[in-house]
Amino acid sequence: MPHPYQIRTFEEYKTAYQKSITDPDGFWAEVAGHFLWRRKWDKVLEWNFTEPRVEWFRGGKLNITENCLDRHIAHKADQPAILWEPNSPDEHNRTLSYKKLLEKVCQFAHVLKNNGVKKGDRVCIYMGMIPELAIAVLACARIGAIHSVVFGGFSAQSIADRLADAQAAFIVTCDGAYRGAKDIPLKSVIDDALIGNSTVKCVIVCTRTRTPVSMLKGRDLWWEEEMKRVEEQGLHFIEAEEMDAEDPLFILYTSGSTGKPKGVVHTCGGYMIWANYTFINVFQYQPGQIHFCTADIGWITGHTYILYGPLSAGATSLMFEGIPTWPDAGRFWDIIDKYKVNIFYTAPTAIRSLMGFGTAPLQGKSLSSLQVLGTVGEPINEEAWHWYDEHVGKKKCPIIDTWWQTETGGCLISNFAGVTPAVPGWATLPMPGLQMVLVDENGKEVVAEGDETVSGNLCIKAPWPAILRTTYGDHERCRTNYFATYSGMYFTGDGALRDKNGFYRITGRVDDVLNVSGHRIGTAEVENAINMHAGVIESAVVGYPHEIKGQGIYAYVIYSGNPTHEEELVRKDILQTVSRIIGAIAKPDKIQFVTGLPKTRSGKIMRRILRKIAEGETANLGDTSTLLDPGVVEEIKNGKV
Ligand code: PRX
């Protein structure tokens, strides 16, 4: 039986899109009608972008875990919900059927309750990619606690900032995590994050690497012991907490162009519908397929397309602990063959990095189970697209280029696999319900004349169900960041082209946010971290094209004294500082020591010039006459690293 809201032809897409615009309430009510609600909503949508205030399915009551787990039990209790592949191919893999996953989620939900976690409490989750991470996330959702997953690559300081911002009293972590040949001491990072913290009452530690950890009496508990206690108490099923459609489901921190990362808040009803709707349509999921999304659950992609999307659709989701290049660059291909993966979803940076190993790691790999390929997180260059198409998809798998953001909850622009046209490098068409607009700097809508392709800043006119509702604890920040640049519109921060067919090509960020290996990093954040180093007077950070990472981080640093004698050492010290303050992912690829920065008379750094120099485009730097000291530009040009 065809899925009730799966779009199967281009014509159907056009009809659905049309209906979603002329009658959004009717359109989304029909989709929402296919989910489990404890109480039906009173109103589909209520919104204004001035405050901003967005409410979807007002008055509706539900629990997302009933939609992701309980409702599948009748028909697919024994079907794998999660297939787990460990970091090392020599270790045993694990399978959690829907029945088993529900049992484990209930059991851990009891653990959380036993330790005082209540509806609305924030639980910080800092774990490696093991099934217990999925269990912890879903257990929070089960009891209505708000999960805030922090990627395992972030530093103690970053965790401390996030804990403070979310006022989190509970943490779930692991002793350590395996990532390729590395063993990351997660609990020890948490211990550092908790120095001086007085709000965290309880840390639950799951065993993975059994690296030595310090367990603090009265605060730290072992996952395994707590689970056993629940068993001994004879506790099994736990009734899901009834949530309002607009109750927060999770917070996920992401970088912006200013200040510290923002806690993007998603809510239960709208997010669930969107995760599910986009999973079913964009990937064209068919029952029985094995879906492999290579993202980490610490990022939005993992939330939506490892957990909530696939599970709400009753799919089998493959979760991988390791990295693509260890023990060798054939790891992904081995996994695809081992599990007969049908849908493979990864980042362009991973494809480019694997391309670098040539086709040898693909030798002897069948990959014949693959039906759909996808990319996410950054623009894909045509060379990588064709390599993916030819060597991985063997030219028989449609490739979806999915554009979206932490704030959007799920895909907003993408072709539908095999259903709507694919164009290399183009994300193509918006999902139903999405009214995209391109505007110029003054906020004026860019309208094409005839068949021309136009460009502008990408904005959205009206809400879709999974739009962020606020930034945790600071609604004004949400307003100024997303809804104030262009009045009455959500501003994505991205630039885009639109062609005569209405297809979009995302050209990249137009604000001071970098996209390094598909990870968002704010230049201001990196500068603040560099400036924390004792010898640094000032710094300016820009992006530059990087063959594998998409963008690399280039830092111009004014250092007190003369670093030339020990330049390499100072560089390393600065990198260490950035690792400490943010995490290794934010380490600059290049550091150039300078004696001054190009500034306007009002003291503003002219990043445009720095960007051009970092890009190697030194001939045409544009107008430098407004600079306080134009001479500094020559020096910077000559010292380029
Ligand atoms: O610049 C866009 C880029 O990634 C940004 C969002 O980053 P994040 O919130 O970390 O979420 C990444 C995973 C959804 C966007 O503002 N981006 C994401 N997908 C694409 C993309 N750029 C081009 N093409 C894409 N498919």
Side-chain angles (χ1 to χ4, degrees):
M1 205 178 62
H3 195 282
Y5 46 90
Q6 190 169 52
I7 289 162
R8 303 289 290 153
T9 63
F10 197 15
E11 278 315 305
E12 277 178 31
Y13 162 80
K14 289 179 195 158
T15 312
Y17 185 83
Q18 208 47 46
K19 169 150 197 234
S20 75
I21 302 303
T22 50
D23 176 20
D25 285 24
F27 185 86
W28 292 111
E30 197 182 317
V31 173
H34 293 280
F35 291 76
L36 267 187
W37 294 85
R38 293 270 186 92
R39 181 186 185 277
K40 201 181 161 193
W41 57 91
D42 301 316
K43 185 141 199 252
V44 174
L45 173 62
E46 178 83 22
W47 67 286
N48 74 67
F49 275 174
T50 324
E51 295 179 41
R53 183 169 58 85
V54 177
E55 286 176 85
W56 280 93
F57 311 107
R58 182 201 278 175
K61 304 280 182 194
L62 78 157
N63 186 291
I64 195 167
T65 68
E66 286 189 332
N67 285 276
C68 287
L69 301 170
D70 306 61
R71 71 163 163 164
H72 306 311
I73 295 299
H75 308 288
K76 41 179 88 167
D78 297 322
Q79 183 202 298
I82 293 178
L83 296 169
W84 178 73
E85 172 67 14
N87 180 54
S88 162
D90 300 329
E91 196 184 338
H92 282 304
N93 56 318
R94 287 166 62 187
T95 300
L96 279 93
S97 65
Y98 270 96
K99 183 159 160 269
K100 190 81 195 159
L101 183 59
L102 175 59
E103 271 170 32
K104 288 283 164 202
V105 167
C106 286
Q107 199 178 349
F108 194 66
H110 280 298
V111 169
L112 293 173
K113 283 208 147 179
N114 274 346
N115 287 290
V117 182
K118 292 189 190 61
K119 177 176 178 174
D121 284 345
R122 277 78 56 213
V123 179
C124 168
I125 302 179
Y126 185 68
M127 301 172 84
M129 283 284 285
I130 56 174
E132 284 70 20
L133 164 55
I135 293 165
V137 165
L138 295 166
C140 286
R142 188 78 176 172
I143 64 170
I146 303 169
H147 56 76
S148 167
V149 184
V150 177
F151 173 62
F154 280 114
S155 69
Q157 183 63 51
S158 296
I159 300 167
D161 292 345
R162 286 158 172 76
L163 288 171
D165 188 81
Q167 291 289 295
F170 305 91
I171 299 179
V172 187
T173 188
C174 296
D175 49 357
Y178 294 123
R179 270 180 76 77
K182 288 199 201 123
D183 177 340
I184 299 148
L186 297 180
K187 172 59 165 63
S188 151
V189 178
I190 290 287
D191 289 339
D192 287 348
L194 290 181
I195 294 171
N197 174 297
S198 55
T199 52
V200 171
K201 293 188 276 200
C202 173
V203 180
I204 299 172
V205 185
C206 183
T207 311
R208 174 63 184 130
T209 55
R210 203 50 194 101
T211 184
V213 288
S214 92
M215 296 292 282
L216 223 68
K217 195 177 293 166
R219 189 195 69 185
D220 299 351
L221 302 163
W222 287 109
W223 170 293
E224 294 75 13
E225 284 174 13
E226 290 303 293
M227 290 291 262
K228 210 162 114 214
R229 189 151 75 93
V230 165
E231 236 173 76
E232 285 163 5
Q233 290 169 326
L235 299 170
H236 299 287
F237 185 75
I238 197 165
E239 196 63 51
E241 187 75 30
E242 188 168 287
M243 305 296 285
D244 193 277
E246 281 298 321
D247 278 337
L249 173 65
F250 66 84
I251 305 172
L252 191 57
Y253 284 86
T254 191
S255 297
S257 51
T258 53
K260 295 212 154 139
K262 304 176 284 270
V264 168
V265 174
H266 284 291
T267 55
C268 297
Y271 173 80
M272 170 181 75
I273 307 276
W274 197 252
N276 178 279
Y277 184 83
T278 53
F279 175 69
I280 285 178
N281 281 297
V282 173
F283 296 91
Q284 285 291 302
Y285 168 71
Q286 303 299 323
Q289 282 183 329
I290 312 290
H291 173 76
F292 179 18
C293 163
T294 70
D296 191 288
I297 292 177
W299 308 110
I300 190 70
T301 309
H303 280 59
T304 307
Y305 298 115
I306 296 179
L307 295 180
Y308 290 117
L311 296 179
S312 66
T316 295
S317 184
L318 173 62
M319 189 174 166
F320 172 43
E321 185 185 30
I323 58 168
T325 48
W326 189 86
D328 59 54
R331 191 71 173 111
F332 277 166
W333 323 133
D334 285 332
I335 296 174
I336 290 168
D337 279 357
K338 176 169 172 184
Y339 296 93
K340 307 217 167 1
V341 167
N342 306 113
I343 308 172
F344 180 64
Y345 189 37
T346 196
T349 189
I351 299 168
R352 285 193 298 265
S353 127
L354 293 171
M355 260 171 80
F357 291 86
T359 52
L362 284 147
Q363 297 300 312
K365 316 287 154 91
S366 148
L367 307 186
S368 60
S369 56
L370 287 175
Q371 292 169 332
V372 171
L373 300 179
T375 68
V376 60
E378 29 168 347
I380 182 161
N381 47 314
E382 289 202 20
E383 196 193 352
W385 194 98
H386 287 293
W387 189 88
Y388 200 28
D389 183 35
E390 199 170 311
H391 298 287
V392 183
K394 319 274 190 211
K395 296 207 160 199
K396 67 174 178 56
C397 300
I399 298 178
I400 47 176
D401 178 349
T402 65
W403 173 85
W404 55 297
Q405 311 178 295
T406 306
E407 295 85 347
T408 72
C411 294
L412 294 199
I413 305 181
S414 174
N415 51 318
F416 290 3
V419 168
T420 64
V423 185
W426 291 70
T428 71
L429 292 166
M431 300 293 111
L434 264 299
Q435 299 184 55
M436 316 302 298
V437 254
L438 295 177
V439 299
D440 65 18
E441 271 108 74
N442 307 315
K444 197 167 162 283
E445 190 167 340
V446 179
V447 185
E449 280 182 27
D451 278 355
E452 68 171 346
T453 295
V454 287
S455 77
N457 292 344
L458 186 62
C459 294
I460 305 167
K461 270 186 187 164
W464 60 100
I467 186 174
L468 85 160
R469 299 302 196 267
T470 190
T471 46
Y472 193 80
D474 191 352
H475 194 62
E476 178 57 12
R477 194 163 177 213
C478 173
R479 191 186 71 79
T480 50
N481 255 284
Y482 305 105
F483 300 92
T485 316
Y486 303 112
S487 151
M489 286 186 257
Y490 168 84
F491 175 42
T492 63
D494 279 326
L497 305 177
R498 186 180 56 225
D499 74 3
K500 62 177 195 289
N501 301 310
F503 289 10
Y504 286 87
R505 178 189 180 106
I506 310 299
T507 47
R509 303 289 305 196
V510 292
D511 53 7
D512 288 322
V513 171
L514 307 179
N515 190 329
V516 180
S517 299
H519 299 150
R520 242 161 97 169
I521 298 172
T523 50
E525 243 184 293
V526 183
E527 287 165 7
N528 289 341
I530 294 174
N531 297 349
M532 303 274 284
H533 183 69
V536 171
I537 294 172
E538 198 180 2
S539 64
V541 165
V542 296
Y544 72 97
H546 187 287
E547 217 177 301
I548 297 203
K549 297 179 174 183
Q551 261 188 319
I553 304 178
Y554 196 114
Y556 299 90
V557 175
I558 308 178
Y559 193 77
S560 67
N562 187 349
T564 45
H565 304 302
E566 39 179 295
E567 212 171 276
E568 253 338 282
L569 210 56
V570 176
R571 267 205 188 90
K572 283 186 184 152
D573 288 346
I574 291 174
L575 295 182
Q576 183 73 2
T577 311
V578 174
S579 283
R580 282 262 163 208
I581 304 296
I582 307 175
I585 50 170
K587 282 201 290 195
D589 298 275
K590 292 185 179 176
I591 296 176
Q592 179 181 347
F593 293 107
V594 295
T595 58
L597 291 166
K599 286 188 180 172
T600 60
R601 288 192 181 88
S602 59
K604 211 172 149 275
I605 296 173
M606 297 269 286
R607 287 164 185 288
R608 179 178 51 81
I609 294 175
L610 293 176
R611 232 176 271 130
K612 284 210 163 165
I613 296 175
E615 285 166 7
E617 208 189 299
T618 48
N620 181 17
L621 293 178
D623 182 15
T624 54
S625 63
T626 56
L627 288 178
L628 195 59
D629 173 14
V632 83
V633 174
E634 265 324 290
E635 179 214 306
I636 296 176
K637 259 166 53 176
N638 295 336
K640 185 178 173 324
V641 288

